[in-house]
């Protein structure tokens, strides 16, 4: 009887593994704002793959064109520095899509094993900050809203240049255009900000932050 119970428990555990749903377990972003108005971003994306939609890898979309406050179309700088999976360099290519760029990660001839994988994406970007009369601002969609998967946990750390003092901040969750408040945020020092979701983000939902600091710390681009 004891052996039967053990066998049943093992089979039950196997069933849970086999039927695990593909999802993003964790999406964490580290952002460093530079005094020349550029940013260094590192994203750690942990996923569960079951060979369904996540077969060769993942892709990450970034908007690179937008209309500024004067109604003029702007194109931001976006340069991928490196991509890794589970601690090792991973093949990728960057392709143009409507309104931006897509990093397609993985080898089309290689299937990744089922289970948990962590992708690390590092990139440099510029012309992302807003410069206003009384303050400068980072308004940033941390996760993007184009994921077909749920994001179980999303978080972000932002480091502003030395001397910056965060004057106000806000955090939003939900689909594009919505301003849900399912996240918590705090400042550990005058120039460091963090935020984390307090519920699962469903497909096509994201985490967005807004941080404002005093003029004179960051040099606006020409």
């Amino acid at each position: 009887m004891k052996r039967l119970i053990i066998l049943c428990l093992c089979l039950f555990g196997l069933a849970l593994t086999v039927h695990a749903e593909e999802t993003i377990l964790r999406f964490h972003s580290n952002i460093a704002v530079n005094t020349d108005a550029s940013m260094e971003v590192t994203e750690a994306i942990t996923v569960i793959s079951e060979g369904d939609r996540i077969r060769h890898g993942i892709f990450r979309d970034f908007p690179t064109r937008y209309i500024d406050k004067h109604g003029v179309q702007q194109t931001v700088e976006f340069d991928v520095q490196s991509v890794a999976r589970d601690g090792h360099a991973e093949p990728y290519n960057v392709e143009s899509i409507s309104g931006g760029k897509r990093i397609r990660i993985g080898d089309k001839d290689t299937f990744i094993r089922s289970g948990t994988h962590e992708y690390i994406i590092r990139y440099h970007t510029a012309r992302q900050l807003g410069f206003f009369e009384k303050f400068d601002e980072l308004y940033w969609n941390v996760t993007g809203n184009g994921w077909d998967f749920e994001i179980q946990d999303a978080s972000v750390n932002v480091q502003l240049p030395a001397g910056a003092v965060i004057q106000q901040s806000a955090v939003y969750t939900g689909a594009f255009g919505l301003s849900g408040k399912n996240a918590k945020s705090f400042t550990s020092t005058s120039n460091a900000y963090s935020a984390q979701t307090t519920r699962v983000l469903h497909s096509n939902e994201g985490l967005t932050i807004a941080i404002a600091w005093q003029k004179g710390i960051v040099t606006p681009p020409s």
Side-chain angles (χ1 to χ4, degrees), residues 24-29 43-46 60 142-144 147 151 153-156:
I24 297 174
L25 290 176
R26 182 172 181 263
F27 190 117
H28 178 73
S29 179
E43 295 180 349
I45 306 171
T46 304
R60 173 77 164 98
V142 176
T143 58
W147 294 102
I151 301 176
D153 178 73
S155 57
V156 59

Side-chain angles (χ1 to χ4, degrees), residues 23-27 150-154 197 199-201:
T23 187
I24 297 174
L25 290 176
R26 182 172 181 263
F27 190 117
E150 288 188 342
I151 301 176
Q152 304 298 318
D153 178 73
T197 54
R199 72 159 174 85
V200 172
L201 297 177

Side-chain angles (χ1 to χ4, degrees), residues 43-49 56 58 83-90 105 111-121:
E43 295 180 349
I45 306 171
T46 304
V47 306
I48 292 180
S49 167
H56 305 281
I58 63 172
V83 176
R85 175 172 62 87
D86 301 332
H88 302 283
E90 185 77 348
I105 303 171
F111 290 93
I112 63 173
R113 61 170 175 78
S114 296
T116 303
H117 298 276
E118 182 184 53
Y119 290 89
I120 304 292
I121 306 172

Side-chain angles (χ1 to χ4, degrees), residues 85-105:
R85 175 172 62 87
D86 301 332
H88 302 283
E90 185 77 348
Y92 71 92
N93 62 76
V94 180
E95 57 190 47
S96 296
I97 58 173
S98 177
K101 299 291 185 180
R102 169 173 291 175
I103 306 177
R104 190 176 293 276
I105 303 171

Side-chain angles (χ1 to χ4, degrees), residues 30-44:
N30 282 320
I31 302 171
V33 177
N34 301 318
T35 55
D36 65 356
S38 67
M39 303 195 310
E40 312 300 331
V41 183
T42 300
E43 295 180 349

Side-chain angles (χ1 to χ4, degrees), residues 76-90:
V76 305
E77 296 177 25
F78 177 69
D79 181 29
V80 179
Q81 306 292 315
S82 64
V83 176
R85 175 172 62 87
D86 301 332
H88 302 283
E90 185 77 348

